[in-house]
Amino acid sequence: MAVDRFITDLRRKFTQGDIVIQLLYINVAVFLVVAVCNVVITLFNLSPALWVNWLELPAWPETFVRQPWSLLTYMFLHADVFHILFNMLWLYWFGRLFLNFFSSRHLRGLYILGGICGGLLYLVSYNVFPYFEDKVYHSFLLGASASVLAIVVAAGVREPDYPVQFMFVGTVRLKYVAVFMVVLDLLFMTSSNGGGHIAHLGGALSGWWFAAGLSKGHDATKWINQVLDLFSGMRMPHRKRRPKMEVHFGDKQKDYDFNARKKEREAEVDRILDKLRKSGYGSLTEEEKKRLFDASKK
């Protein structure tokens, strides 16, 4: 059936896609499921907020204690089409850029770390600053913005002079993009969406923490990836029995050539990475950039 083929195709693209594509799929899937459930609930004259609030991050600590999972679920929820559209566009653009400097595991871990730090700063701010005392009891946070800003800032810290092209603006260095977004959030902390802007700042801090720490050998996302690996079983691959096969003498030479070429490619990538660490992304030639990009997709 057409529906079965469609679902199979989506599953295949999700499995074969990189971490950016997978995060996009997860966010869009959650958005569609929540939207459909809300339509059904509304048809019965019930309020969708009654169950969605259990997935959003509450500002009031007593409510948060009853739903601690919301510190994770909120970063995959979005209020409307424009909310998810802009967040996913930024995730796609800067997620791709991030993968030029870091690994897929780093992006996966930082998405979660940025969301956690953004949520925690939101919780603390709403219960510390008197400005929010009238809003703390009925305020909830949702959206991937803190996670996305963590990715933007981490890329900006790692390669501040990397050129980014913007329509109608032209070429802007990455560090200015990150600084502009952080300053914007600082200025709008007392706006109607103050909680969202505070969460953005928490995500930005986590991005700086990750990138600055990684340059010194400390990976702030390591524990998150270890937990995710534990639940996903990625560290426990299923061993398959190798089928018996007839080995011909001529195949040995093919294996030798293949291994030699593989070793040469790995040595070339190591050389490019060493040059990147010492001199920055701008020092790479176009051919070296292409080879590094191709290697990051494998």
Side-chain angles (χ1 to χ4, degrees):
M1 295 177 63
V3 176
D4 293 335
R5 288 197 299 270
F6 177 72
I7 295 175
T8 301
D9 187 54
L10 285 178
R11 186 183 296 114
R12 177 181 59 81
K13 290 181 178 179
F14 176 83
T15 303
Q16 297 178 354
D18 59 21
I19 185 61
V20 176
I21 296 299
Q22 291 175 352
L23 286 172
L24 289 173
Y25 269 54
I26 292 172
N27 276 277
V28 172
V30 170
F31 177 78
L32 292 176
V33 169
V34 171
V36 170
C37 290
N38 286 346
V39 169
V40 174
I41 290 173
T42 302
L43 289 174
F44 287 93
N45 289 329
L46 298 175
S47 174
L50 293 177
W51 79 278
V52 176
N53 283 350
W54 282 91
L55 302 176
E56 299 172 343
L57 181 63
W60 184 232
E62 291 185 11
T63 306
F64 172 68
V65 169
R66 294 195 295 268
Q67 53 185 82
W69 58 82
S70 61
L71 186 59
L72 294 176
T73 56
Y74 93 90
M75 66 185 76
F76 296 98
L77 296 175
H78 291 86
D80 51 46
V81 173
F82 288 105
H83 189 198
I84 189 173
L85 175 63
F86 286 112
N87 272 344
M88 294 304 100
L89 285 175
W90 280 86
L91 175 60
Y92 180 79
W93 292 331
F94 286 95
R96 293 290 189 197
L97 183 61
F98 182 95
L99 291 179
N100 287 331
F101 315 129
F102 305 100
S103 70
S104 295
R105 287 176 60 82
H106 288 145
L107 193 147
R108 182 183 70 168
L110 186 58
Y111 182 96
I112 302 298
L113 180 65
I116 291 176
C117 290
L120 291 177
L121 185 61
Y122 162 79
L123 273 168
V124 172
S125 299
Y126 263 62
N127 289 276
V128 169
F129 298 116
Y131 177 81
F132 300 110
E133 61 183 0
D134 295 332
K135 305 176 183 178
V136 66
Y137 302 106
H138 53 80
S139 293
F140 291 83
L141 181 67
L142 74 162
S145 301
S147 300
V148 173
L149 194 54
I151 293 169
V152 175
V153 170
V157 172
R158 176 62 183 84
E159 202 62 40
D161 292 322
Y162 186 90
V164 181
Q165 293 287 339
F166 285 98
M167 188 180 299
F168 308 121
V169 177
T171 303
V172 181
R173 292 184 181 183
L174 188 53
K175 61 184 176 184
Y176 296 131
V177 177
V179 169
F180 174 78
M181 296 179 70
V182 170
V183 171
L184 203 64
D185 286 318
L186 284 170
L187 294 176
F188 285 92
M189 285 177 60
T190 56
S191 66
S192 58
N193 186 33
H197 292 289
I198 290 173
H200 297 174
L201 294 174
L205 285 172
S206 70
W208 171 82
W209 174 31
F210 161 75
L214 195 64
S215 65
K216 300 177 182 178
H218 172 69
D219 183 1
T221 65
K222 183 178 180 180
W223 67 275
I224 294 177
N225 281 312
Q226 288 176 339
V227 172
L228 293 175
D229 288 345
L230 180 64
F231 280 97
S232 63
M234 291 176 63
R235 289 297 183 187
M236 297 180 291
H238 176 66
R239 286 195 171 189
K240 294 183 179 179
R241 181 180 297 176
R242 298 180 63 183
K244 294 182 179 180
M245 57 182 295
E246 185 178 355
V247 179
H248 299 280
F249 178 78
D251 293 338
K252 294 182 179 179
Q253 183 62 36
K254 293 180 181 179
D255 291 341
Y256 176 81
D257 292 340
F258 173 80
N259 291 331
R261 289 193 300 271
K262 181 179 179 182
K263 189 174 182 179
E264 289 178 0
R265 288 195 298 269
E266 291 176 349
E268 176 65 10
V269 171
D270 289 340
R271 182 191 67 78
I272 296 173
L273 289 173
D274 186 58
K275 182 178 179 181
L276 178 64
R277 284 191 291 267
K278 292 179 179 179
S279 306
Y281 189 79
S283 66
L284 303 183
T285 65
E286 292 301 323
E287 180 64 24
E288 289 173 334
K289 292 177 182 178
K290 183 178 183 301
R291 290 188 180 183
L292 188 62
F293 178 74
D294 292 339
S296 68
K297 297 189 293 183
K298 295 180 179 180

